[in-house]
Amino acid sequence: MRVPYNYLPFQFADPEPFIAEWRELITSTEFTLGPYVDAFEKKFAGFVGARHVLGTNTGTDALILALKALGIGPGDEVITVAATFFATAGAIVAVGATPVFVEVEERYQMDPAAVRSAITPRTRALLPVHWAGASPDMPRLMEIARNHGLRVIEDACMGPGGSVAGRHPGTFGDIGCFSMHPLKPLHVMGDGGMVCTDDEQLWSWMGKYRNHGMVDRNRIEFWGVNMRLQPLQAIVASRVLDTVHHSVAERNRLATRLDDQLRSLAPKIVVPPRPAGYRETFSLYMICGESRDSLLRFLVERGIDAKVHYPLPLHLQPAAASLGYRIGSLPLTEWQAARLLTLPMHPFLGEAQIDYMADSIRAFYQREP
Ligand SMILES: Cc1ncc(COP(=O)(O)O)c(C=O)c1O
């Protein structure tokens, strides 16, 4: 049996509806910002429950735009996690600030207890990540930020369709950032991203900065760059957004089925807790497994596209060498990184494929007691 990781061939099996809308766009020649991008921004704002949304070129751009908008730069520290994609810390470094990595908890999310002890006089902001499409304890993180006068930028790149404490990921902090990379719950046919905010001034500044600082065709208020979302992609995003609730519901149904079977393999397999009040998107379905690398090879040989996100956490990457971390700096993050395994999880899988993954993992540990 094959269990594919990549759902895109199924998602875009029928390209005709996209092509039909692209024809209209081509006729209109509205190729930079304009009505297609505006319409998508309004639609996504309604989806997440934010006052304003701006489309960007990528999720990385969204993070850089948010950090810039909050005036974060050289000399500032931004607290984040090492268990995330490179772009989270890359964006902090891109604006000249310093990432400070803190420990995660057993759900692979930023640990609020670790945040408190990492705050210094140079700390300007928290950058929690809704990693894997699960969420950190945002109400507690917001309370810490408020008590210490810190800004909050959420990396909700994997968050569309999730919720925490009744709110959408990305709507707790000053600015929420999203990616529409093809392997995110809301995706386009290439790159795309968004920021959301309830703050009029931040919205106005970011709207100008992503478009060269322009106030009209002939004047710029300040120096900006081009981070614009492509209208071609706004059309794709808008159609895919209509499927996100269904696809997240399906992922939850299938993930629960897999969780139930894998929990019986404890302690060799550790399934993270799924507390009430969190709706995960299962952008990545991750567990921890003993002898992970052999298990990964075994599953791949059986046609299961398992992966690892990621074997080397950010604080131990060569790029972080000057920041002074070493092995043992973040023990739980490192423990998880040595065991994490990502299994295929998307709405185009059937129950038979889910059961096949569970049976295969069971067979592996029976073979290697
Ligand atoms: C947690 C996280 N942050 C940031 C990004 C960067 O997004 P993009 O690839 O759209 O630049 C990604 C995904 O790629 C991500 O998973």
Side-chain angles (χ1 to χ4, degrees):
M1 187 181 276
R2 282 267 303 123
V3 188
Y5 185 86
N6 182 5
Y7 49 80
L8 295 170
F10 309 105
Q11 177 79 42
F12 294 124
D14 178 11
E16 288 311 321
F18 299 96
I19 293 169
E21 278 194 67
W22 282 349
R23 279 206 182 87
E24 284 173 29
L25 166 69
I26 292 164
T27 308
S28 76
T29 70
E30 295 278 2
F31 295 143
T32 47
L33 296 180
Y36 292 92
V37 173
D38 286 349
F40 170 66
E41 289 173 344
K42 286 199 177 65
K43 187 168 169 178
F44 190 68
F47 184 87
V48 296
R51 287 175 71 180
H52 303 295
V53 165
L54 293 163
T56 58
N57 212 10
T58 61
T60 308
D61 273 354
L63 288 163
I64 293 172
L65 183 60
L67 288 157
K68 282 258 178 210
L70 295 170
I72 292 165
D76 296 333
E77 291 178 353
V78 179
I79 295 176
T80 190
V81 285
T84 178
F85 181 61
F86 315 128
T88 311
I92 297 169
V93 174
V95 301
T98 304
V100 173
F101 298 113
V102 296
E103 193 58 288
V104 291
E105 29 79 321
E106 53 188 341
R107 300 173 57 248
Y108 325 133
Q109 309 300 317
M110 179 181 271
D111 184 353
V115 169
R116 276 207 184 84
S117 47
I119 295 171
T120 74
R122 290 168 60 185
T123 308
R124 284 286 313 283
L126 302 187
L127 206 169
V129 182
H130 296 257
W131 182 231
S135 290
D137 184 343
M138 284 310 304
R140 262 186 82 197
L141 291 172
M142 290 306 299
E143 192 187 321
I144 295 169
R146 260 193 306 273
N147 291 343
H148 291 84
L150 304 176
R151 309 308 293 259
V152 178
I153 299 135
E154 290 171 72
D155 182 337
C157 284
M158 298 189 181
S163 77
V164 44
R167 287 166 65 174
H168 196 281
T171 60
F172 288 82
D174 296 283
I175 304 172
C177 304
F178 302 88
S179 166
M180 295 193 287
H181 176 277
L183 293 176
K184 298 289 181 272
L186 171 58
H187 48 263
V188 292
M189 295 185 192
D191 279 311
M194 282 92 67
V195 287
C196 75
T197 186
D198 284 346
D199 184 305
E200 300 287 324
Q201 275 182 337
L202 291 174
W203 173 57
S204 161
W205 190 90
M206 291 191 289
K208 291 174 208 154
Y209 188 80
R210 82 161 168 183
N211 194 23
H212 305 294
M214 280 165 67
V215 280
D216 60 41
R217 192 185 172 283
N218 300 315
R219 280 185 316 137
I220 54 168
E221 190 178 314
F222 48 79
W223 302 113
V225 295
N226 177 355
M227 291 181 167
R228 298 184 297 246
L229 175 66
Q230 302 290 320
L232 278 167
Q233 302 295 10
I235 285 172
V236 180
S238 188
R239 294 196 75 85
V240 174
L241 185 57
D242 293 336
T243 70
V244 167
H245 278 315
H246 167 76
S247 94
V248 169
E250 268 302 280
R251 284 166 194 250
N252 271 270
R253 187 179 69 80
L254 295 171
T256 303
R257 187 179 178 98
L258 191 51
D259 278 0
D260 290 345
Q261 297 182 63
L262 294 183
R263 282 197 202 284
S264 67
L265 299 178
K268 293 195 180 300
I269 290 286
V270 182
V271 177
R274 314 273 186 212
Y278 293 81
R279 179 175 177 75
E280 301 190 23
T281 67
F282 292 101
S283 186
L284 302 175
Y285 177 94
M286 298 201 300
I287 51 169
C288 283
E290 213 175 275
S291 312
R292 189 266 318 276
D293 292 340
S294 315
L295 173 60
L296 175 69
R297 276 193 298 277
F298 180 80
L299 295 177
V300 170
E301 275 163 21
R302 291 179 66 120
I304 298 167
D305 285 348
K307 300 195 185 300
V308 177
H309 295 86
Y310 287 94
L312 190 63
L314 296 190
H315 68 295
L316 300 179
Q317 291 285 344
S322 65
L323 297 175
Y325 296 92
R326 51 186 54 84
I327 293 172
S329 294
L330 300 172
L332 185 53
T333 301
E334 293 163 31
W335 186 92
Q336 290 171 353
R339 290 165 182 76
L340 279 172
L341 184 73
T342 305
L343 296 171
M345 185 55 65
H346 53 77
F348 303 98
L349 295 178
E351 290 175 359
Q353 285 162 304
I354 297 293
D355 297 350
Y356 176 68
M357 289 198 280
D359 291 345
S360 299
I361 295 171
R362 197 174 301 113
F364 173 78
Y365 288 117
Q366 275 162 1
R367 206 187 63 154
E368 296 204 0

